[in-house]
Amino acid sequence: MHPVSVDTNVLVRGPLDDDPDQHLLARNLMTAASQGQGLIVSAFAVLEMAWVLRARKIPRQDVARVIRTLMASEGVTVTHAELLHQALARFEEGTADLGECLICADGQAFGARSFATFDQVPQREAGEHRRQPSG
């Protein structure tokens, strides 16, 4: 069997459980993944999943828990997992969205020491990254 790449609309069916048929299909896909099929989840799909869940007013701690559970699931491979783990740690601690946290982690991996944004992300959330530009 070859692994299956999965779209965001499949990933959100589990935690949202808003469509019984699609929820069952998504659950069956996860079961197949754990039984040898394998599932490849793009970090980009995880990011979209976080946006969808937050748009549905799911608390950030629950969003982080869902993502961590997915990443730890047997048979599931998440691309850029190390960066995503770093971003999740920042996401759980602050108010920045997962996208900003992922951008910071990715930049740091390539040597960035600051984070330029026009968003009002508190400096403490970005660690060594500081909000720029100011003028």
Side-chain angles (χ1 to χ4, degrees), residues 43-44 47 80 83-84 87 97-107:
F44 305 111
L47 179 57
H80 308 286
L83 287 176
L84 196 49
D97 72 27
L98 185 59
E100 291 165 326
C101 296
L102 193 54
I103 291 166
C104 282
D106 193 37

Side-chain angles (χ1 to χ4, degrees), residues 119-135:
D119 291 342
Q120 298 300 314
V121 180
Q123 289 181 10
R124 65 179 165 70
E125 291 182 30
E128 294 181 27
H129 285 38
R130 287 177 284 285
R131 187 166 43 94
Q132 298 175 359
S134 58

Side-chain angles (χ1 to χ4, degrees), residues 36-135:
Q37 171 77 40
L39 198 64
I40 307 297
V41 179
S42 168
F44 305 111
V46 172
L47 179 57
E48 284 184 341
M49 182 176 71
W51 287 335
V52 169
L53 297 178
R54 291 294 292 142
R56 296 282 185 99
K57 307 297 184 206
I58 295 179
R60 65 192 306 110
Q61 296 301 324
D62 291 341
V63 171
R65 181 185 45 77
V66 165
I67 293 170
R68 287 189 190 287
T69 299
L70 174 67
M71 293 178 74
S73 296
E74 187 175 344
V76 174
T77 301
V78 177
T79 66
H80 308 286
E82 183 58 37
L83 287 176
L84 196 49
H85 278 297
Q86 292 172 18
L88 277 171
R90 289 179 178 170
F91 175 73
E92 288 177 300
E93 295 171 2
T95 60
D97 72 27
L98 185 59
E100 291 165 326
C101 296
L102 193 54
I103 291 166
C104 282
D106 193 37
Q108 278 187 322
F110 282 87
R113 292 177 152 294
S114 61
F115 177 53
T117 183
F118 292 115
D119 291 342
Q120 298 300 314
V121 180
Q123 289 181 10
R124 65 179 165 70
E125 291 182 30
E128 294 181 27
H129 285 38
R130 287 177 284 285
R131 187 166 43 94
Q132 298 175 359
S134 58

